[in-house]
Amino acid sequence: MPNTIEILPSSDSRSLSKKQPVLPNYEAADRQFVDLLEVEDLDKTVATKPLLVSDFESAIAVALRSAYQEPNGSEAAHSFLQRVLYRINRLNLFWYDDLRRYNNERSHYLRSVRDRIEEPWQQWESAQIDVAALQKLPDVKQALRDRAAADVARPLNETDRYLREQMTAAGYRHLLAIGSIDGLVEASHLSRILGGVGNEIQSTLTRVLIEEYGGGRLPRKHSTFFAQMLAEFDMSTQPEAYFDLVPWEVLATINHNFLLTDRKRHFLRYNGGLTYFEVAGPVTYRNYVAGVQRLGLSEAAMSYWELHVREDERHGRWMLDEVAIPLVDRYPQDAWELVLGYDQAQSMGDRAGAAVVRSIQAAERN
């Protein structure tokens, strides 16, 4: 494992005149952070050699301002910050890889980086939602039911029609490459909230997880079906093989779920979001199936989506009727957080979906 850390050239950081501010070299800062993650004792190294992280720290500071304080946040800044967050959060899951990659999983420095990004990012995300209105909802149960009913029968939008009617075979390969960042480790976030006191809500969530994990049989695990789709196109089935293709908007949805499952105080928000995901998922998956069928591709090329159309219709009903609605009764004062989680998942999911289509279209033009 590498023990050296790249120092960004001075021309990329502080040697220029203050009258000529220059954006950080985010790609170089990202590479430097990858090296930092694999240092033998990161906290001690940072404490004794702070210069090693000075350029990375400068990049973080500029990116936070550019992404969350400027009216039109920098795409490069958003991408850099979400990549850094993902690399830290990824240490919370075990990937059956080199054990030394987890040397710094409880690093105080990494935690401080994560917290410094998450706070302004979450404030920025919350500003996209009318939280005050959600806090005043007169009937949270009805709000959830209304949203679910609308999303089950959502009319096709421009993104849906593109996936169904225009996406090429090359575009579909690009879609699979992006989707593999989550599809190959599917339901891992759900597994992180199941420990604790047993009750009917927990049992339903466990049923969802067990089905996602194929009842403990690898050939039936949902991620296995995703790997089969990749193999059908001779694509890599290694997790994160296509990390560099993933738009920041997609990474943000993943990092958001890491945050919500890390903090049990956000249990309601997470389950609201999961309810949306399970309710609305089949609509998107049908778009993929329709696109694959139009292209004349094999059954194996869409097996994961077909499976999810069937199972997520059931999971959506479970999440609404056996998780979200009972949680309203259990936490009446905080139940609005379920709707917040639902609305945030919808908003962030729509944003990610649009970014994926833009990325596909760009790949098709090249």
Side-chain angles (χ1 to χ4, degrees):
M1 308 297 284
N3 290 314
T4 60
I5 303 174
E6 177 183 3
I7 302 294
L8 305 195
S10 59
S11 61
D12 288 331
S13 52
R14 287 172 295 277
S15 63
L16 298 180
S17 167
K18 292 182 179 180
K19 296 181 180 179
Q20 298 175 317
V22 175
L23 290 177
N25 185 333
Y26 288 128
E27 290 185 7
D30 187 52
R31 291 195 301 270
Q32 183 186 39
F33 187 61
V34 171
D35 291 340
L36 283 169
L37 289 170
E38 299 181 355
V39 168
E40 185 64 29
D41 188 339
L42 179 58
D43 288 344
K44 181 178 179 181
T45 298
V46 171
T48 58
K49 301 177 181 179
L51 181 61
L52 291 177
V53 297
S54 61
D55 289 293
F56 171 72
E57 287 288 337
S58 175
I60 288 286
V62 174
L64 288 173
R65 292 194 300 271
S66 298
Y68 307 130
Q69 295 180 18
E70 296 178 0
N72 297 312
S74 160
E75 289 286 312
H78 277 291
S79 181
F80 171 64
L81 294 170
Q82 293 301 327
R83 287 166 69 96
V84 169
L85 267 186
Y86 175 86
R87 295 187 194 282
I88 298 173
N89 287 328
R90 172 235 191 276
L91 298 177
N92 289 297
L93 300 177
F94 189 58
W95 296 61
Y96 290 86
D97 49 356
D98 192 325
L99 295 176
R100 289 175 296 179
R101 296 195 70 175
Y102 303 91
N103 283 343
N104 295 304
E105 61 184 319
R106 303 194 73 180
S107 162
H108 295 297
Y109 178 70
L110 292 184
R111 180 174 179 174
S112 76
V113 172
R114 183 199 67 193
D115 291 349
R116 280 181 281 144
I117 296 174
E118 277 185 348
E119 182 177 358
W121 167 48
Q122 283 295 302
Q123 290 175 352
W124 181 80
E125 292 286 6
S126 294
Q128 318 301 314
I129 304 287
D130 189 348
V131 175
L134 298 182
Q135 292 173 321
K136 300 174 184 176
L137 283 171
D139 189 337
V140 171
K141 289 183 181 180
Q142 193 58 48
L144 289 166
R145 291 191 177 109
D146 290 345
R147 283 163 167 76
D151 288 325
V152 164
R154 175 174 62 82
L156 297 181
N157 58 32
E158 184 178 347
T159 295
D160 298 328
R161 286 190 290 272
Y162 173 80
L163 295 169
R164 285 172 169 264
E165 303 167 5
Q166 300 178 47
M167 179 174 59
T168 65
Y172 184 61
R173 286 172 55 95
H174 195 79
L175 170 68
L176 293 182
I178 293 173
S180 67
I181 193 73
D182 189 55
L184 293 176
V185 291
E186 186 188 20
S188 294
H189 294 110
L190 175 56
S191 70
R192 287 152 50 85
I193 69 164
L194 295 180
V197 173
N199 53 43
E200 292 183 355
I201 294 171
Q202 185 206 40
S203 295
T204 298
L205 291 169
T206 302
R207 267 200 335 271
V208 173
L209 180 74
I210 288 173
E211 290 204 354
E212 298 283 355
Y213 275 62
R217 292 183 285 276
L218 183 60
R220 295 178 57 185
K221 190 174 186 293
H222 289 189
S223 60
T224 298
F225 287 88
F226 202 102
Q228 289 173 350
M229 291 197 303
L230 293 169
E232 185 72 6
F233 293 95
D234 295 322
M235 298 172 67
S236 174
T237 59
Q238 293 299 310
E240 301 177 334
Y242 302 101
F243 179 73
D244 288 341
L245 298 180
V246 182
W248 71 263
E249 294 91 341
V250 174
L251 292 178
T253 66
I254 297 172
N255 288 326
H256 186 71
N257 282 326
F258 270 116
L259 169 62
L260 298 189
T261 53
D262 269 346
R263 299 189 60 190
K264 301 306 177 284
R265 178 60 186 84
H266 297 321
F267 185 80
L268 298 183
R269 280 176 67 193
Y270 174 74
N271 280 286
L274 183 58
T275 299
Y276 167 76
F277 183 81
E278 299 291 350
V279 165
V283 174
T284 298
Y285 303 144
R286 289 192 190 98
N287 294 331
Y288 299 156
V289 170
V292 171
Q293 291 174 336
R294 174 180 54 80
L295 291 168
L297 302 177
S298 69
E299 288 290 323
M302 58 181 175
S303 57
Y304 177 91
W305 313 124
E306 289 187 315
L307 174 67
H308 276 72
V309 168
R310 296 192 304 271
E311 294 204 352
D312 282 5
E313 287 178 342
R314 181 172 63 256
H315 292 174
R317 293 192 297 270
W318 288 355
M319 286 301 304
L320 180 64
D321 298 334
E322 300 181 37
V323 175
I325 297 302
L327 282 172
V328 174
D329 291 329
R330 186 173 287 262
Y331 297 98
Q333 299 302 314
D334 301 305
W336 65 271
E337 294 180 19
L338 286 157
V339 187
L340 172 60
Y342 191 105
D343 287 359
Q344 280 194 310
Q346 182 181 54
S347 175
M348 296 175 73
D350 289 347
R351 185 178 68 194
V356 169
V357 167
R358 290 195 300 272
S359 182
I360 291 173
Q361 291 171 331
E364 289 175 330
R365 289 192 294 270
N366 295 331

Coordinates of all heavy atoms in Angstrom, one line a residue, residues 48-76:
T48 N 1.8 15.4 13.1 CA 3.3 15.7 13.1 C 3.7 16.3 11.8 O 4.8 17.0 11.7 CB 4.1 14.4 13.3 OG1 3.7 13.4 12.3 CG2 3.8 13.8 14.6
K49 N 3.0 16.2 10.7 CA 3.3 16.7 9.4 C 2.1 17.4 8.8 O 1.6 17.0 7.7 CB 3.9 15.6 8.5 CG 5.1 14.9 9.0 CD 5.5 13.8 8.1 CE 6.7 13.1 8.6 NZ 7.2 11.9 7.7
P50 N 1.6 18.5 9.4 CA 0.4 19.1 8.8 C 0.5 19.6 7.4 O -0.5 19.8 6.7 CB 0.1 20.3 9.8 CG 1.5 20.5 10.5 CD 2.1 19.1 10.6
L51 N 1.8 19.9 7.0 CA 2.0 20.4 5.6 C 1.5 19.4 4.6 O 1.1 19.8 3.5 CB 3.4 20.7 5.4 CG 3.8 21.3 4.0 CD1 3.1 22.6 3.8 CD2 5.3 21.4 3.9
L52 N 1.5 18.1 4.9 CA 1.1 17.1 4.0 C -0.4 17.2 3.6 O -0.8 16.7 2.6 CB 1.3 15.7 4.6 CG 2.8 15.3 4.8 CD1 2.9 13.9 5.4 CD2 3.5 15.3 3.4
V53 N -1.2 17.8 4.5 CA -2.6 18.0 4.1 C -3.0 19.4 3.9 O -4.2 19.7 3.7 CB -3.5 17.4 5.3 CG1 -3.2 15.9 5.5 CG2 -3.3 18.2 6.6
S54 N -2.1 20.3 3.8 CA -2.4 21.7 3.7 C -3.1 22.0 2.4 O -4.1 22.8 2.3 CB -1.2 22.6 3.9 OG -0.2 22.3 2.9
D55 N -2.6 21.4 1.3 CA -3.3 21.7 0.0 C -4.6 21.0 -0.1 O -5.6 21.6 -0.7 CB -2.4 21.2 -1.2 CG -1.1 22.1 -1.3 OD1 -1.3 23.3 -1.7 OD2 0.0 21.6 -1.0
F56 N -4.8 19.8 0.4 CA -6.0 19.2 0.5 C -7.0 20.0 1.3 O -8.2 20.2 0.9 CB -5.9 17.8 1.1 CG -7.2 17.1 1.4 CD1 -8.0 16.6 0.3 CD2 -7.6 16.9 2.7 CE1 -9.2 16.0 0.6 CE2 -8.8 16.3 3.0 CZ -9.6 15.8 1.9
E57 N -6.6 20.5 2.4 CA -7.4 21.3 3.3 C -7.9 22.6 2.6 O -9.0 23.0 2.7 CB -6.7 21.7 4.6 CG -6.6 20.5 5.6 CD -7.9 20.1 6.2 OE1 -8.8 21.0 6.3 OE2 -8.1 19.0 6.7
S58 N -7.0 23.2 1.8 CA -7.3 24.4 1.1 C -8.4 24.1 0.0 O -9.3 24.8 -0.2 CB -6.0 24.9 0.4 OG -6.3 26.0 -0.4
A59 N -8.2 22.9 -0.6 CA -9.2 22.5 -1.6 C -10.6 22.3 -1.0 O -11.6 22.7 -1.6 CB -8.7 21.2 -2.3
I60 N -10.6 21.7 0.2 CA -11.9 21.5 0.9 C -12.5 22.8 1.2 O -13.7 23.0 1.0 CB -11.7 20.7 2.2 CG1 -11.3 19.3 1.9 CG2 -12.9 20.8 3.1 CD1 -12.5 18.4 1.5
A61 N -11.8 23.8 1.7 CA -12.3 25.1 2.1 C -12.9 25.8 0.9 O -14.0 26.4 1.0 CB -11.2 25.9 2.8
V62 N -12.2 25.8 -0.2 CA -12.7 26.5 -1.4 C -13.9 25.8 -2.0 O -14.9 26.4 -2.4 CB -11.5 26.6 -2.5 CG1 -12.1 27.2 -3.8 CG2 -10.4 27.4 -2.0
A63 N -13.9 24.5 -2.0 CA -15.0 23.7 -2.5 C -16.3 23.9 -1.7 O -17.3 24.0 -2.3 CB -14.6 22.2 -2.5
L64 N -16.1 24.0 -0.4 CA -17.3 24.2 0.4 C -18.0 25.6 0.1 O -19.2 25.7 0.0 CB -16.9 24.2 1.9 CG -16.6 22.8 2.5 CD1 -16.1 22.9 3.9 CD2 -17.8 21.9 2.4
R65 N -17.1 26.6 -0.1 CA -17.7 27.9 -0.5 C -18.3 27.9 -1.9 O -19.4 28.4 -2.1 CB -16.6 29.0 -0.4 CG -16.1 29.3 1.0 CD -15.3 30.6 1.0 NE -14.1 30.5 0.1 CZ -12.9 30.1 0.5 NH1 -12.7 29.7 1.7 NH2 -11.9 30.0 -0.4
S66 N -17.6 27.2 -2.8 CA -18.1 27.2 -4.2 C -19.3 26.4 -4.3 O -20.2 26.8 -5.1 CB -17.0 26.6 -5.1 OG -15.8 27.4 -5.0
A67 N -19.5 25.3 -3.6 CA -20.6 24.4 -3.8 C -21.9 24.9 -3.0 O -23.0 24.9 -3.6 CB -20.3 23.0 -3.3
Y68 N -21.7 25.5 -1.8 CA -22.8 25.7 -1.0 C -23.1 27.2 -0.6 O -24.1 27.5 0.0 CB -22.7 24.9 0.3 CG -22.4 23.4 0.1 CD1 -21.4 22.8 0.7 CD2 -23.2 22.7 -0.8 CE1 -21.1 21.4 0.4 CE2 -23.0 21.4 -1.1 CZ -21.9 20.7 -0.4 OH -21.7 19.4 -0.7
Q69 N -22.2 28.1 -1.0 CA -22.5 29.5 -0.7 C -22.7 30.3 -2.0 O -23.3 31.4 -1.9 CB -21.3 30.0 0.1 CG -21.2 29.4 1.5 CD -20.0 30.0 2.3 OE1 -19.5 31.0 2.0 NE2 -19.6 29.3 3.3
E70 N -22.1 29.9 -3.1 CA -22.3 30.7 -4.3 C -23.6 30.3 -5.0 O -24.1 29.1 -4.9 CB -21.1 30.4 -5.3 CG -19.8 30.9 -4.7 CD -18.6 30.5 -5.6 OE1 -18.9 30.0 -6.7 OE2 -17.5 30.9 -5.3
P71 N -24.3 31.3 -5.6 CA -25.6 31.0 -6.2 C -25.7 29.8 -7.2 O -26.6 29.0 -7.1 CB -25.9 32.3 -7.0 CG -25.1 33.4 -6.3 CD -23.8 32.6 -5.8
N72 N -24.7 29.7 -8.1 CA -24.6 28.6 -9.0 C -23.4 27.8 -8.6 O -22.3 28.0 -9.1 CB -24.5 29.1 -10.4 CG -25.7 29.9 -10.9 OD1 -26.9 29.4 -10.6 ND2 -25.5 31.0 -11.5
G73 N -23.6 26.8 -7.7 CA -22.5 26.1 -7.2 C -21.7 25.4 -8.2 O -22.2 24.8 -9.2
S74 N -20.4 25.4 -8.0 CA -19.4 24.7 -9.0 C -19.6 23.2 -9.0 O -19.6 22.5 -8.0 CB -18.0 25.0 -8.5 OG -17.1 24.1 -9.1
E75 N -19.8 22.7 -10.3 CA -19.9 21.3 -10.5 C -18.7 20.6 -10.0 O -18.8 19.5 -9.4 CB -20.2 21.0 -11.9 CG -21.5 21.4 -12.5 CD -22.6 20.5 -12.0 OE1 -22.5 19.2 -12.0 OE2 -23.7 21.0 -11.5
A76 N -17.5 21.1 -10.3 CA -16.3 20.5 -9.9 C -16.2 20.4 -8.3 O -15.7 19.4 -7.8 CB -15.1 21.3 -10.4

